[in-house]
Amino acid sequence: AIQKQTPTELQGKIMGIIIAISSSIAPLGVAIYGLLFETFSNSSHIPILIASLLVFALGLLSRHILKNH
């Protein structure tokens, strides 16, 4: 969708920004995941369940957004 809406001469810059943002946010996800494991150290399945539900919800949201384009 991004490639269809972005002029050809700007696609490299836009994709570079997207990759930079995703790479920058990854450590935040690791830190949150670590805190969840520390908090639920006796029940290690809870952080995995929470992460799975978040990924599932994100997938549904993405599908809805992309379907409307």
PDB file of all heavy atoms in Angstrom, residues 42-61:
ATOM      1  N   ASN A  42       6.744 -16.759  38.292  1.00  0.00           N
ATOM      2  CA  ASN A  42       6.195 -18.064  38.683  1.00  0.00           C
ATOM      3  C   ASN A  42       5.269 -18.643  37.633  1.00  0.00           C
ATOM      4  O   ASN A  42       5.021 -19.841  37.617  1.00  0.00           O
ATOM      5  CB  ASN A  42       5.448 -17.952  40.019  1.00  0.00           C
ATOM      6  CG  ASN A  42       6.380 -17.610  41.151  1.00  0.00           C
ATOM      7  OD1 ASN A  42       7.553 -17.941  41.112  1.00  0.00           O
ATOM      8  ND2 ASN A  42       5.854 -16.931  42.157  1.00  0.00           N
ATOM      9  N   SER A  43       4.734 -17.794  36.773  1.00  0.00           N
ATOM     10  CA  SER A  43       3.802 -18.228  35.730  1.00  0.00           C
ATOM     11  C   SER A  43       4.306 -17.722  34.384  1.00  0.00           C
ATOM     12  O   SER A  43       3.781 -16.744  33.839  1.00  0.00           O
ATOM     13  CB  SER A  43       2.410 -17.680  36.002  1.00  0.00           C
ATOM     14  OG  SER A  43       1.967 -18.035  37.284  1.00  0.00           O
ATOM     15  N   SER A  44       5.322 -18.360  33.838  1.00  0.00           N
ATOM     16  CA  SER A  44       5.952 -17.861  32.616  1.00  0.00           C
ATOM     17  C   SER A  44       5.040 -17.941  31.397  1.00  0.00           C
ATOM     18  O   SER A  44       5.324 -17.322  30.373  1.00  0.00           O
ATOM     19  CB  SER A  44       7.248 -18.616  32.338  1.00  0.00           C
ATOM     20  OG  SER A  44       6.983 -19.986  32.141  1.00  0.00           O
ATOM     21  N   HIS A  45       3.941 -18.654  31.490  1.00  0.00           N
ATOM     22  CA  HIS A  45       3.032 -18.734  30.354  1.00  0.00           C
ATOM     23  C   HIS A  45       2.218 -17.447  30.169  1.00  0.00           C
ATOM     24  O   HIS A  45       1.746 -17.160  29.078  1.00  0.00           O
ATOM     25  CB  HIS A  45       2.082 -19.927  30.504  1.00  0.00           C
ATOM     26  CG  HIS A  45       1.146 -19.820  31.668  1.00  0.00           C
ATOM     27  ND1 HIS A  45       1.559 -20.083  32.958  1.00  0.00           N
ATOM     28  CD2 HIS A  45      -0.146 -19.463  31.729  1.00  0.00           C
ATOM     29  CE1 HIS A  45       0.520 -19.888  33.767  1.00  0.00           C
ATOM     30  NE2 HIS A  45      -0.523 -19.518  33.047  1.00  0.00           N
ATOM     31  N   ILE A  46       2.082 -16.636  31.213  1.00  0.00           N
ATOM     32  CA  ILE A  46       1.269 -15.415  31.128  1.00  0.00           C
ATOM     33  C   ILE A  46       1.877 -14.389  30.170  1.00  0.00           C
ATOM     34  O   ILE A  46       1.163 -13.863  29.306  1.00  0.00           O
ATOM     35  CB  ILE A  46       1.015 -14.824  32.531  1.00  0.00           C
ATOM     36  CG1 ILE A  46       0.104 -15.775  33.300  1.00  0.00           C
ATOM     37  CG2 ILE A  46       0.382 -13.435  32.439  1.00  0.00           C
ATOM     38  CD1 ILE A  46      -0.173 -15.379  34.724  1.00  0.00           C
ATOM     39  N   PRO A  47       3.184 -14.071  30.235  1.00  0.00           N
ATOM     40  CA  PRO A  47       3.737 -13.127  29.253  1.00  0.00           C
ATOM     41  C   PRO A  47       3.621 -13.642  27.816  1.00  0.00           C
ATOM     42  O   PRO A  47       3.375 -12.861  26.898  1.00  0.00           O
ATOM     43  CB  PRO A  47       5.210 -12.992  29.662  1.00  0.00           C
ATOM     44  CG  PRO A  47       5.257 -13.405  31.072  1.00  0.00           C
ATOM     45  CD  PRO A  47       4.173 -14.406  31.256  1.00  0.00           C
ATOM     46  N   ILE A  48       3.766 -14.947  27.643  1.00  0.00           N
ATOM     47  CA  ILE A  48       3.637 -15.510  26.298  1.00  0.00           C
ATOM     48  C   ILE A  48       2.201 -15.361  25.812  1.00  0.00           C
ATOM     49  O   ILE A  48       1.958 -15.008  24.650  1.00  0.00           O
ATOM     50  CB  ILE A  48       4.095 -16.985  26.291  1.00  0.00           C
ATOM     51  CG1 ILE A  48       5.590 -17.046  26.600  1.00  0.00           C
ATOM     52  CG2 ILE A  48       3.778 -17.652  24.959  1.00  0.00           C
ATOM     53  CD1 ILE A  48       6.123 -18.439  26.854  1.00  0.00           C
ATOM     54  N   LEU A  49       1.242 -15.580  26.691  1.00  0.00           N
ATOM     55  CA  LEU A  49      -0.165 -15.418  26.341  1.00  0.00           C
ATOM     56  C   LEU A  49      -0.471 -13.960  25.999  1.00  0.00           C
ATOM     57  O   LEU A  49      -1.150 -13.672  25.006  1.00  0.00           O
ATOM     58  CB  LEU A  49      -1.055 -15.900  27.491  1.00  0.00           C
ATOM     59  CG  LEU A  49      -2.559 -15.745  27.289  1.00  0.00           C
ATOM     60  CD1 LEU A  49      -3.030 -16.599  26.122  1.00  0.00           C
ATOM     61  CD2 LEU A  49      -3.294 -16.126  28.556  1.00  0.00           C
ATOM     62  N   ILE A  50       0.023 -13.037  26.808  1.00  0.00           N
ATOM     63  CA  ILE A  50      -0.196 -11.611  26.556  1.00  0.00           C
ATOM     64  C   ILE A  50       0.396 -11.211  25.212  1.00  0.00           C
ATOM     65  O   ILE A  50      -0.259 -10.530  24.404  1.00  0.00           O
ATOM     66  CB  ILE A  50       0.391 -10.751  27.700  1.00  0.00           C
ATOM     67  CG1 ILE A  50      -0.400 -10.967  28.986  1.00  0.00           C
ATOM     68  CG2 ILE A  50       0.391  -9.268  27.325  1.00  0.00           C
ATOM     69  CD1 ILE A  50       0.236 -10.348  30.212  1.00  0.00           C
ATOM     70  N   ALA A  51       1.631 -11.633  24.945  1.00  0.00           N
ATOM     71  CA  ALA A  51       2.278 -11.298  23.668  1.00  0.00           C
ATOM     72  C   ALA A  51       1.508 -11.900  22.499  1.00  0.00           C
ATOM     73  O   ALA A  51       1.327 -11.248  21.463  1.00  0.00           O
ATOM     74  CB  ALA A  51       3.723 -11.792  23.671  1.00  0.00           C
ATOM     75  N   SER A  52       1.043 -13.123  22.654  1.00  0.00           N
ATOM     76  CA  SER A  52       0.285 -13.778  21.582  1.00  0.00           C
ATOM     77  C   SER A  52      -1.015 -13.040  21.290  1.00  0.00           C
ATOM     78  O   SER A  52      -1.381 -12.843  20.132  1.00  0.00           O
ATOM     79  CB  SER A  52      -0.029 -15.226  21.951  1.00  0.00           C
ATOM     80  OG  SER A  52       1.152 -15.950  22.148  1.00  0.00           O
ATOM     81  N   LEU A  53      -1.703 -12.615  22.339  1.00  0.00           N
ATOM     82  CA  LEU A  53      -2.947 -11.873  22.146  1.00  0.00           C
ATOM     83  C   LEU A  53      -2.704 -10.515  21.481  1.00  0.00           C
ATOM     84  O   LEU A  53      -3.477 -10.090  20.620  1.00  0.00           O
ATOM     85  CB  LEU A  53      -3.661 -11.687  23.489  1.00  0.00           C
ATOM     86  CG  LEU A  53      -4.242 -12.959  24.108  1.00  0.00           C
ATOM     87  CD1 LEU A  53      -4.775 -12.673  25.507  1.00  0.00           C
ATOM     88  CD2 LEU A  53      -5.334 -13.540  23.225  1.00  0.00           C
ATOM     89  N   LEU A  54      -1.614  -9.852  21.865  1.00  0.00           N
ATOM     90  CA  LEU A  54      -1.288  -8.571  21.235  1.00  0.00           C
ATOM     91  C   LEU A  54      -0.961  -8.734  19.756  1.00  0.00           C
ATOM     92  O   LEU A  54      -1.396  -7.936  18.925  1.00  0.00           O
ATOM     93  CB  LEU A  54      -0.124  -7.896  21.971  1.00  0.00           C
ATOM     94  CG  LEU A  54      -0.452  -7.320  23.336  1.00  0.00           C
ATOM     95  CD1 LEU A  54       0.820  -6.836  24.028  1.00  0.00           C
ATOM     96  CD2 LEU A  54      -1.448  -6.183  23.209  1.00  0.00           C
ATOM     97  N   VAL A  55      -0.204  -9.770  19.416  1.00  0.00           N
ATOM     98  CA  VAL A  55       0.140 -10.020  18.016  1.00  0.00           C
ATOM     99  C   VAL A  55      -1.117 -10.358  17.219  1.00  0.00           C
ATOM    100  O   VAL A  55      -1.305  -9.888  16.097  1.00  0.00           O
ATOM    101  CB  VAL A  55       1.195 -11.140  17.895  1.00  0.00           C
ATOM    102  CG1 VAL A  55       1.353 -11.606  16.465  1.00  0.00           C
ATOM    103  CG2 VAL A  55       2.526 -10.661  18.450  1.00  0.00           C
ATOM    104  N   PHE A  56      -2.011 -11.162  17.803  1.00  0.00           N
ATOM    105  CA  PHE A  56      -3.259 -11.510  17.142  1.00  0.00           C
ATOM    106  C   PHE A  56      -4.107 -10.260  16.899  1.00  0.00           C
ATOM    107  O   PHE A  56      -4.639 -10.046  15.808  1.00  0.00           O
ATOM    108  CB  PHE A  56      -4.026 -12.532  17.984  1.00  0.00           C
ATOM    109  CG  PHE A  56      -5.305 -12.988  17.353  1.00  0.00           C
ATOM    110  CD1 PHE A  56      -5.296 -13.834  16.254  1.00  0.00           C
ATOM    111  CD2 PHE A  56      -6.525 -12.567  17.862  1.00  0.00           C
ATOM    112  CE1 PHE A  56      -6.484 -14.247  15.666  1.00  0.00           C
ATOM    113  CE2 PHE A  56      -7.708 -12.977  17.287  1.00  0.00           C
ATOM    114  CZ  PHE A  56      -7.693 -13.821  16.179  1.00  0.00           C
ATOM    115  N   ALA A  57      -4.222  -9.401  17.921  1.00  0.00           N
ATOM    116  CA  ALA A  57      -5.002  -8.165  17.785  1.00  0.00           C
ATOM    117  C   ALA A  57      -4.387  -7.248  16.730  1.00  0.00           C
ATOM    118  O   ALA A  57      -5.109  -6.636  15.931  1.00  0.00           O
ATOM    119  CB  ALA A  57      -5.087  -7.452  19.132  1.00  0.00           C
ATOM    120  N   LEU A  58      -3.077  -7.155  16.714  1.00  0.00           N
ATOM    121  CA  LEU A  58      -2.403  -6.334  15.705  1.00  0.00           C
ATOM    122  C   LEU A  58      -2.646  -6.877  14.304  1.00  0.00           C
ATOM    123  O   LEU A  58      -2.846  -6.118  13.359  1.00  0.00           O
ATOM    124  CB  LEU A  58      -0.901  -6.269  15.998  1.00  0.00           C
ATOM    125  CG  LEU A  58      -0.067  -5.380  15.096  1.00  0.00           C
ATOM    126  CD1 LEU A  58      -0.556  -3.944  15.169  1.00  0.00           C
ATOM    127  CD2 LEU A  58       1.395  -5.464  15.475  1.00  0.00           C
ATOM    128  N   GLY A  59      -2.653  -8.195  14.166  1.00  0.00           N
ATOM    129  CA  GLY A  59      -2.948  -8.814  12.877  1.00  0.00           C
ATOM    130  C   GLY A  59      -4.350  -8.497  12.404  1.00  0.00           C
ATOM    131  O   GLY A  59      -4.569  -8.172  11.231  1.00  0.00           O
ATOM    132  N   LEU A  60      -5.315  -8.570  13.314  1.00  0.00           N
ATOM    133  CA  LEU A  60      -6.696  -8.227  12.950  1.00  0.00           C
ATOM    134  C   LEU A  60      -6.821  -6.759  12.569  1.00  0.00           C
ATOM    135  O   LEU A  60      -7.499  -6.416  11.597  1.00  0.00           O
ATOM    136  CB  LEU A  60      -7.641  -8.547  14.105  1.00  0.00           C
ATOM    137  CG  LEU A  60      -7.903 -10.019  14.383  1.00  0.00           C
ATOM    138  CD1 LEU A  60      -8.802 -10.164  15.611  1.00  0.00           C
ATOM    139  CD2 LEU A  60      -8.522 -10.702  13.186  1.00  0.00           C
ATOM    140  N   LEU A  61      -6.173  -5.888  13.321  1.00  0.00           N
ATOM    141  CA  LEU A  61      -6.207  -4.461  13.024  1.00  0.00           C
ATOM    142  C   LEU A  61      -5.565  -4.174  11.671  1.00  0.00           C
ATOM    143  O   LEU A  61      -6.116  -3.425  10.863  1.00  0.00           O
ATOM    144  CB  LEU A  61      -5.501  -3.678  14.128  1.00  0.00           C
ATOM    145  CG  LEU A  61      -5.424  -2.162  13.934  1.00  0.00           C
ATOM    146  CD1 LEU A  61      -6.818  -1.547  13.984  1.00  0.00           C
ATOM    147  CD2 LEU A  61      -4.551  -1.545  15.006  1.00  0.00           C
TER     148      LEU A  61
END
